[in-house]
Amino acid sequence: MTSRESAAAEITPEVLLRAYACGIFPMAESADDPTLFWVEPEMRGVIPLDGFRIASRLARTVRSDAFAVTVDTAFKAVIAGCAAPQAGREDTWINKRIRDLYGGLYELGHCHSVEVWQDGDLAGGLYGVNLGRAFFGESMFHRVRDASKVALVHLVARLIAGGFELLDTQYVTEHLKSFGAVEIPRRRYTALLDRAIKGEPADFNRLAIERQVPGAEALEIIAARQ
């Protein structure tokens, strides 16, 4: 289900949070399209935190700490990386309004980025929105093989450690299926979302963002939840 919106002034970061609480999120047709439309999929993608799967080769990469992983240190660079064309994805739904809105959420502490570095260069990363005990993954990118996958592993470890209950991926791709992503009907998703945004909120920063979490520690956190 989608609905068009044309009045730019109507959407603020606060309005965006209320939309997420209702299971709705915005997209653009392309990076050059200034308008947004609201989306509420009939089937929603989620990754169960107790069913997160990591291939053995990727686990070795994570454990090796071949990449340096940071959190909330280069948000604008991450969202720019997600908006840039990549192999197999020549266009993107991230336009300037999306960047501005999510930048506003970042300033409010409701949007976060995970950055993956190699030799001082940004190799990949992801960003998403947190609300209550729910985290809404928005987009990820990589410039080096496995960089976005490493970012996702570290994100999941952080969510588990922080007491999150729901990891929303919006849609399910073959790539996300390999990590355990599944599609669930809107009604079931709404019930999970309602439970996740009520009560005591999760703590995204329970794993201190000032330190780089070793890959072995991230894997141990995930394994303890399985």
Side-chain angles (χ1 to χ4, degrees):
M1 179 184 297
T2 63
S3 61
R4 290 281 173 179
E5 165 288 311
S6 58
E10 291 182 2
I11 300 183
T12 65
E14 292 79 9
V15 168
L16 196 52
L17 282 179
R18 291 198 292 272
Y20 273 98
C22 297
I24 305 169
F25 57 88
M27 295 184 73
E29 288 289 357
S30 70
D32 298 325
D33 187 341
T35 64
L36 300 179
F37 57 92
W38 293 111
V39 183
E40 187 181 15
E42 292 287 345
M43 299 294 292
R44 195 71 167 238
V46 300
I47 296 180
L49 293 175
D50 56 2
F52 186 67
R53 299 199 298 261
I54 307 172
S56 56
R57 185 188 64 80
L58 177 60
R60 289 194 296 271
T61 300
V62 172
R63 189 174 287 108
S64 73
D65 291 324
F67 296 102
V69 181
T70 58
V71 175
D72 288 349
T73 65
F75 180 83
K76 288 184 178 180
V78 167
I79 199 169
C82 291
Q86 293 192 50
R89 188 187 73 185
E90 299 306 315
D91 204 354
T92 175
W93 53 270
I94 301 173
N95 63 7
K96 182 180 184 302
R97 287 187 63 199
I98 291 285
R99 293 198 203 192
D100 291 345
L101 281 169
Y102 288 84
L105 285 183
Y106 173 77
E107 295 298 327
L108 292 174
H110 281 284
C111 202
H112 302 279
S113 59
V114 178
E115 305 93 19
V116 177
W117 308 85
Q118 185 178 68
D119 300 326
D121 295 323
L122 188 62
L126 58 81
Y127 76 97
V129 175
N130 74 286
L131 183 64
R133 295 186 302 281
F135 190 89
F136 308 86
E138 287 298 314
S139 188
M140 60 174 62
F141 80 101
H142 70 276
R143 294 173 182 145
V144 178
R145 181 183 179 184
D146 289 340
S148 62
K149 296 178 182 179
V150 170
L152 181 58
V153 171
H154 277 262
L155 171 69
V156 168
R158 180 167 292 277
L159 298 183
I160 291 172
F164 284 80
E165 294 182 2
L166 177 63
L167 173 52
D168 174 1
T169 67
Q170 299 178 348
Y171 299 103
V172 171
T173 63
E174 290 302 315
H175 172 66
L176 291 175
K177 280 183 181 178
S178 68
F179 289 97
V182 295
E183 279 188 328
I184 60 175
R186 183 191 298 165
R187 180 175 294 181
R188 183 181 171 200
Y189 172 79
T190 299
L192 293 175
L193 177 62
D194 287 347
R195 187 176 70 184
I197 61 176
K198 292 177 181 175
E200 188 69 21
D203 183 3
F204 188 83
N205 297 331
R206 187 166 295 167
L207 287 180
I209 63 173
E210 293 80 13
R211 73 180 181 94
Q212 293 184 23
V213 176
E217 181 180 345
L219 293 172
E220 287 173 4
I221 291 170
I222 293 169
R225 178 67 182 263
Q226 308 307 303

